[in-house]
Amino acid sequence: MASKKDVNKAQLLLSTDTLSGYGLDLIFDTARELNFDGIDLAMWKNFDAWHTEYVLDLSKKYDMPVKVVQISDKANIKEMNQAVDLGKELGAEVVSINAPSIMNITSFRFLKSNLPSYKAHNKTVKFSIINPEDKNILWVIPKYYFSSIVEIIKKYRMYLALDIAHVEEEILDYQFMKKISNFIPFLSVVYLSDVGKWGQKHLPLWDGVFKIPTLLKKFKQNEFYGFFSLKLNISKKDLADIDKVKVILKKCRMYYKENYEQLKLG
């Protein structure tokens, strides 16, 4: 299947965990209808995502490539092997891994011990860690492993799948954006969403306090050619109405088009 990837163009993917509870057929169909560039496949959200032939058939049927395979924060050898095999069959370029909770020592040890071997044997795959929420328990004990984006890159030598909703607004505005050129070579995926005034995560792109247009402009100025993945937390009430969901996704798609794809620099 021909890839839609342009080496000199970032692409906007639809993360399947945005449509939690939907079947993959409907998700692929919706992504095609709204002109997304591809799929970010959250394996643990859909049991049918584990069936390689089925996902491959959907990808061909809707001409919608799977560019990222995303695994849960409870990583183990079975899930990781399936993600790698699925990625190879689908031509996915990235395996993104949700950071385990601090209580999940087993998954952390598995990743720490085995990621170097996975990287060595799958050199075309960008194994990436998704930064978790920047929150602490009792302000002392971290809530998740891999909590520092710098540590993910430097200590563990992994690509970063940056979820901007998990970064404090001040850090995003005054630290990350100023040093964005240093991060670009190590970014595989940027998870796009907004954050509300009271800390609500993964809102539609226009619906919060983040300076999304400024951030997108910075990425374009610094020639980011990885993937943007739209990852929203849509309420169950709204998910029950597919037409309303499509309106939300379409507005996000147009917002991205206006603030990134059609943005003229200089």
Side-chain angles (χ1 to χ4, degrees), residues 1-14:
M1 181 182 62
S3 172
K4 293 184 179 182
K5 178 70 173 175
D6 181 340
V7 294
N8 293 319
K9 175 182 175 294
Q11 292 180 291
L12 181 63
L13 312 180
L14 177 61

Side-chain angles (χ1 to χ4, degrees), residues 66-78:
V66 175
K67 306 308 297 184
V68 177
V69 176
Q70 186 188 151
I71 70 173
S72 73
D73 60 358
K74 298 177 177 61
N76 55 53
I77 189 169
K78 181 178 180 180

Side-chain angles (χ1 to χ4, degrees), residues 247-263:
V247 169
I248 294 170
L249 296 180
K250 185 175 182 179
K251 287 179 70 175
C252 286
R253 184 68 183 90
M254 290 302 300
Y255 189 96
Y256 173 82
K257 182 176 181 179
E258 293 167 0
N259 289 284
Y260 187 84
E261 291 179 339
Q262 295 179 339
L263 177 66

